[in-house]
């Protein structure tokens, strides 16, 4: 911001609550959830949803596990009204799901809302009016505190009267002092208590007091103070469900909600992926999965988050950002080498420790949850670009393609692949990584290639005779040699054409797990007489031929 502009702004006043208790609380149980996707979310869309899309979205919310769903503002538009009528008339509302309708505290709108809910088994009628000094002054033309309080009281009374006319529908009152976030606390309390006084909730028939963080003006701790203060002072607190409705103007919707839950709130309103006016409402996906990541059951099922995200993107025509917690395309992807290394170690170790121990506590560096728990796969965890480390490439070759490279081979292969990514100026796919690995480190056949071989294992222990045909710089040679194993006998055979400027210093082999076109991989480390060490890799359906090809590859790479 331009420094000259700062004089326009003021600090937000703190709340005097020296005996606040919320900082010492932990969140140990789930709140009541209410989705406002079909209302606050929908009203913030450049292209609002059609009735068919709303029906599909409603069904998605039900499948996720929401038991309270704000279905719209039926008195505001025919689409909203007709959508709700279809839900009711077509019996689409499950027994255990309660619909919620939003309405301003104005008589004709409340009456129209009652027409909209007619025939529903249960409905939350959510009335609101704006209470903040800014709104009283600017929007309502210097309206007095008393007049605004009276609007709330009259609205509550009308809902009470109309509820009595539809005894087949259980009506639950919800009242929101809209813009609670910048309303004087004593006044917000006065208005809420006046509404409670009208409704007369009981333990068996509670009402909801919703305290909207309509616009986030301040930090989450002050919001938590406001919620704790209200919770302490509300009349008939036991008969009141204290509800949160946080927006995200300062980017702290989730934090503000978490602290306010610690401050005693019982219920949370929000949307999937934080859709909503301006910077959005609270992101319920993040909040619920944060709870899951601490072992708390939420009643919401995000085990196939990718599918939920796709549907959400189709309905809303919005995109979930790549860095969105839990749901973003890149959030289980490590580009940095040291992160990749640590994740690989963590996953490998967990695989070993989890065998026979299904309750093993999660603990993998950089991964707050197991991506599989929300339907994401390990395959996407590590992607390679020029910032990646040696562990990342080895991880991809191992997990995706079944090649368990010797550790001392990682730096060279890693460097080659990162240089390639740098050259392309982008990350490489796992298939491109395999291709580049094969092209440069596997079965290299020039200038030396082995075209045929026969190994005869002599009886009586450890003696092998090798007959082979090789091509050296285009010339074919038939060679033979003896040794205590296939590699050793081939090394001696190579001596007959004067290829003896190296020695074999290490050898590994394994079956290729999950590979499609080969069944064995061998790695041979050669040391040139000038001291250089280098690994060659051979891949073949025969483990012996894989070993010879690895040796030949190593020799070629030393040239
Ligand atoms: O943000 C808000 O204050 C609202 C109210 C209508 C609850 O959406
Ligand atoms: Zn809102």
């Amino acid at each position: 911001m331009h420094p000259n502009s700062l004089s326009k702004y003021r600090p937000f006043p703190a709340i005097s609550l020296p005996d606040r208790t919320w900082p010492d609380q932990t969140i140990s149980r789930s709140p009541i959830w209410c989705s406002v996707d079909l209302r606050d979310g929908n009203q913030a869309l450049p292209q609002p949803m059609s009735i068919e899309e709303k029906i599909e979205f409603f069904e998605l919310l039900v499948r996720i596990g929401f038991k309270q769903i704000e279905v719209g503002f039926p008195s505001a538009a025919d689409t909203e009204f007709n959508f709700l009528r279809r839900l009711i008339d077509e019996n689409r509302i499950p027994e255990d799901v309660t619909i919620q309708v939003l309405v301003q505290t104005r008589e004709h709108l409340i009456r129209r809302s009652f027409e909209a809910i007619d025939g529903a088994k249960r409905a939350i009628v959510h009335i609101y009016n704006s209470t903040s000094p800014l709104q009283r002054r600017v929007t309502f033309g210097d309206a007095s505190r008393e007049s605004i309080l009276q609007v709330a009281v009259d609205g509550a009374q009308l809902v009470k009267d109309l509820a009595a006319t539809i005894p087949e529908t259980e009506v639950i009152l919800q009242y929101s002092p809209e813009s609670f976030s910048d309303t004087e606390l004593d006044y917000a309390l006065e208005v809420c208590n006046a509404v409670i006084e009208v409704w007369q909730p009981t333990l068996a028939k509670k009402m909801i007091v919703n305290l909207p963080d309509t616009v986030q003006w301040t930090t989450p701790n002050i919001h938590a103070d406001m919620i704790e203060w209200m919770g302490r002072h509300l009349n008939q607190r036991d008969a009141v469900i204290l509800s949160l409705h946080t927006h995200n103007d300062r980017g702290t919707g989730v934090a503000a909600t978490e602290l306010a839950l610690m401050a005693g709130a019982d219920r949370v309103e929000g949307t999937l992926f934080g859709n909503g006016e301006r910077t959005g409402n609270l992101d319920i996906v993040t909040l619920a999965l944060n709870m899951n990541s601490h072992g708390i059951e939420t009643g919401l099922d995000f085990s196939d988050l990718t599918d939920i995200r796709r549907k959400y993107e189709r309905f809303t025509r919005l995109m979930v950002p790549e860095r969105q917690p839990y749901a973003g395309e890149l959030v289980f992807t490590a580009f940095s080498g040291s992160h990749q290394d640590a994740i690989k170690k963590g996953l490998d170790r967990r695989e070993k420790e989890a065998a026979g121990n299904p309750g093993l506590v999660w603990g993998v560096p950089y991964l707050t949850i197991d991506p599989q728990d929300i339907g994401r796969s390990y395959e996407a965890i590590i992607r390679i670009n020029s910032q990646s480390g040696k562990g990342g490439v080895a991880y991809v070759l191992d997990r995706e393609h079944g090649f368990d490279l010797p550790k001392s081979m990682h730096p060279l292969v890693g460097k080659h692949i990162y240089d390639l990514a740098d050259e392309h100026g982008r990350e490489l796919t796992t298939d491109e990584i395999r291709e580049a690995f094969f092209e440069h480190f596997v079965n290299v056949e020039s200038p030396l290639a082995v075209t045929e071989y026969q190994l005869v294992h002599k009886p009586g222990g450890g003696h092998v005779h090798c007959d082979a045909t090789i091509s050296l710089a285009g010339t074919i040679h038939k060679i033979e040699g003896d040794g205590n194993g296939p590699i050793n006998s081939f090394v001696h055979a190579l001596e007959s054409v004067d290829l003896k400027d190296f020695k074999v210093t290490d050898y590994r082999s394994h079956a290729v797990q999950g590979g499609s076109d080969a069944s064995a991989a061998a790695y041979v480390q050669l040391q040139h007489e000038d001291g250089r060490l280098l690994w060659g890799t051979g891949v073949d359906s025969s483990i012996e031929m894989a070993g010879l090809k690895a040796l030949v590859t190593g020799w070629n790479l030393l040239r």
Side-chain angles (χ1 to χ4, degrees):
M1 193 182 277
H2 196 284
N4 294 345
S5 305
L6 294 179
S7 58
K8 278 191 210 154
Y9 303 101
R10 293 286 174 275
F12 195 89
I15 309 293
S16 170
L17 194 65
D19 57 345
R20 60 178 64 78
T21 61
W22 63 262
D24 293 325
Q25 309 302 313
T26 49
I27 299 172
S28 56
R29 66 189 166 88
S30 174
I32 301 165
W33 301 106
C34 177
S35 153
V36 294
D37 288 270
L38 297 168
R39 197 279 296 173
D40 222 342
N42 186 57
Q43 79 187 43
L45 292 178
Q47 186 183 338
M49 288 179 266
S50 66
I51 292 187
E52 290 307 325
E53 284 165 341
K54 284 182 154 204
I55 288 176
E56 268 194 78
F57 204 149
F58 178 80
E59 285 166 356
L60 174 68
L61 294 168
V62 168
R63 275 200 304 282
I64 289 171
F66 286 97
K67 301 298 177 207
Q68 298 187 355
I69 301 174
E70 190 164 80
V71 288
F73 203 147
S75 60
D78 283 349
T79 322
E80 306 266 299
F81 188 93
N82 295 338
F83 162 60
L84 176 50
R85 286 315 319 161
R86 280 196 56 186
L87 289 184
I88 297 170
D89 295 339
E90 295 171 12
N91 282 324
R92 290 178 180 273
I93 306 165
E95 275 293 298
D96 61 348
V97 171
T98 305
I99 48 146
Q100 174 169 316
V101 291
L102 180 77
V103 56
Q104 281 167 359
T105 43
R106 293 168 66 184
E107 182 177 345
H108 70 290
L109 299 180
I110 293 176
R111 288 189 187 280
R112 178 78 173 145
S113 303
F114 269 79
E115 286 167 32
I117 60 169
D118 187 37
K121 190 166 176 293
R122 231 175 304 101
I124 299 169
V125 176
H126 177 188
I127 58 172
Y128 75 96
N129 66 331
S130 222
T131 52
S132 70
L134 184 62
Q135 297 265 18
R136 295 195 312 259
R137 186 166 59 84
V138 174
T139 317
F140 305 124
D142 292 313
S144 67
R145 284 166 67 133
E146 294 71 28
S147 66
I148 296 286
L149 181 145
Q150 198 54 47
V151 168
V153 164
D154 292 348
Q157 187 60 54
L158 182 58
V159 173
K160 192 170 182 173
D161 296 345
L162 292 175
T165 66
I166 50 165
E168 69 288 356
T169 301
E170 183 191 340
V171 174
I172 300 154
L173 177 69
Q174 171 164 330
Y175 173 67
S176 291
E178 199 219 5
S179 58
F180 165 78
S181 46
D182 57 332
T183 299
E184 312 90 325
L185 272 184
D186 65 329
Y187 180 58
L189 178 70
E190 198 183 328
V191 178
C192 290
N193 277 340
V195 171
I196 292 170
E197 180 66 24
V198 172
W199 192 256
Q200 287 299 320
T202 62
L203 276 184
K205 197 171 182 314
K206 295 188 179 188
M207 70 166 283
I208 302 165
V209 171
N210 188 49
L211 300 176
D213 202 8
T214 303
V215 178
Q216 253 188 351
W217 299 105
T218 187
T219 49
N221 61 312
I222 291 184
H223 179 245
D225 279 351
M226 293 167 83
I227 300 297
E228 180 165 341
W229 190 92
M230 287 293 286
R232 282 192 206 176
H233 292 90
L234 277 177
N235 291 339
Q236 293 182 250
R237 174 68 184 89
D238 290 351
V240 167
I241 295 169
L242 187 57
S243 176
L244 305 172
H245 178 103
T246 17
H247 278 266
N248 194 39
D249 300 81
R250 297 170 60 91
T252 55
V254 171
T257 311
E258 288 180 331
L259 299 194
L261 284 172
M262 290 157 61
D266 310 303
R267 180 180 186 268
V268 161
E269 294 190 342
T271 56
L272 300 185
F273 311 114
N275 180 32
E277 292 284 10
R278 308 177 306 280
T279 53
N281 284 68
L282 160 80
D283 171 12
I284 285 193
V285 177
T286 299
L287 181 62
L289 287 170
N290 281 355
M291 288 185 187
N292 285 167
S293 78
H294 285 183
I296 300 166
E297 168 65 78
T298 62
L300 301 181
D301 180 356
F302 293 116
S303 60
D304 191 352
L305 194 53
T306 306
D307 183 58
I308 294 170
R309 188 184 80 194
R310 280 200 197 106
K311 291 197 166 88
Y312 163 89
E313 290 181 337
R314 180 158 60 79
F315 302 144
T316 61
R317 289 165 276 271
L318 297 178
M319 296 300 288
V320 172
E322 288 166 337
R323 301 286 178 202
Q324 179 87 5
Y326 302 105
E329 193 57 42
L330 293 179
V331 300
F332 296 113
T333 304
F335 288 95
S336 121
S338 61
H339 291 202
Q340 291 170 353
D341 231 35
I343 291 172
K344 174 175 158 42
K345 285 179 184 146
L347 291 174
D348 286 350
R349 183 158 184 156
R350 183 168 173 84
E351 202 169 290
K352 280 192 209 113
E353 291 174 352
N357 183 5
L360 183 68
V361 171
W362 180 252
V364 171
Y366 303 107
L367 295 180
T368 57
I369 62 162
D370 183 345
Q372 286 187 332
D373 293 339
I374 52 171
R376 313 260 331 237
S377 79
Y378 287 137
E379 285 158 38
I381 287 174
I382 290 192
R383 290 158 73 171
I384 302 301
N385 65 13
S386 60
Q387 301 307 302
S388 309
K390 54 187 165 46
V393 168
Y395 179 86
V396 169
L397 289 171
D398 183 2
R399 292 272 164 160
E400 302 285 319
H401 303 299
F403 293 98
D404 183 11
L405 270 53
K407 213 161 171 41
S408 53
M409 199 176 171
H410 295 185
L412 190 66
V413 178
K415 181 173 180 336
H416 179 79
I417 307 273
Y418 307 137
D419 288 350
L420 197 66
D422 212 14
E423 218 172 90
H424 288 16
R426 61 170 172 81
E427 68 178 82
L428 301 178
T429 65
T430 58
D431 283 344
E432 284 173 326
I433 291 167
R434 181 187 188 277
E435 218 174 277
F437 172 61
F438 265 65
E439 199 180 321
H440 293 271
F441 298 98
V442 180
N443 297 354
V444 177
E445 296 186 318
S446 176
L448 176 64
V450 54
T451 49
E452 274 174 24
Y453 80 101
Q454 204 187 6
L455 297 170
V456 180
H457 294 262
K458 300 269 175 70
H463 192 78
V464 177
H465 179 78
C466 171
D467 278 311
T469 305
I470 60 164
S471 152
L472 181 58
T475 309
I476 303 296
H477 301 269
K478 291 215 175 285
I479 57 173
E480 59 180 302
D482 292 304
N484 56 11
I487 299 281
N488 190 243
S489 61
F490 185 59
V491 169
H492 287 141
L494 288 174
E495 284 170 4
S496 66
V497 282
D498 220 22
L499 302 184
K500 45 188 172 192
D501 57 351
F502 69 94
K503 65 180 181 205
V504 174
T505 46
D506 206 347
Y507 168 78
R508 320 265 169 90
S509 66
H510 62 77
V512 178
Q513 307 293 332
S516 53
D517 53 358
S519 56
Y523 311 90
V524 171
Q525 190 187 47
L526 303 184
Q527 183 167 33
H528 194 264
E529 59 190 13
D530 65 11
R532 281 178 299 139
L533 279 170
L534 217 140
W535 285 95
T537 304
V539 175
D540 197 273
S541 54
S542 139
I543 187 111
E544 287 166 338
M545 187 57 158
L548 303 194
K549 285 182 171 176
L551 190 153
V552 166
T553 298
W555 190 88
N556 286 325
L557 294 177
L558 279 172
R559 298 307 105 191

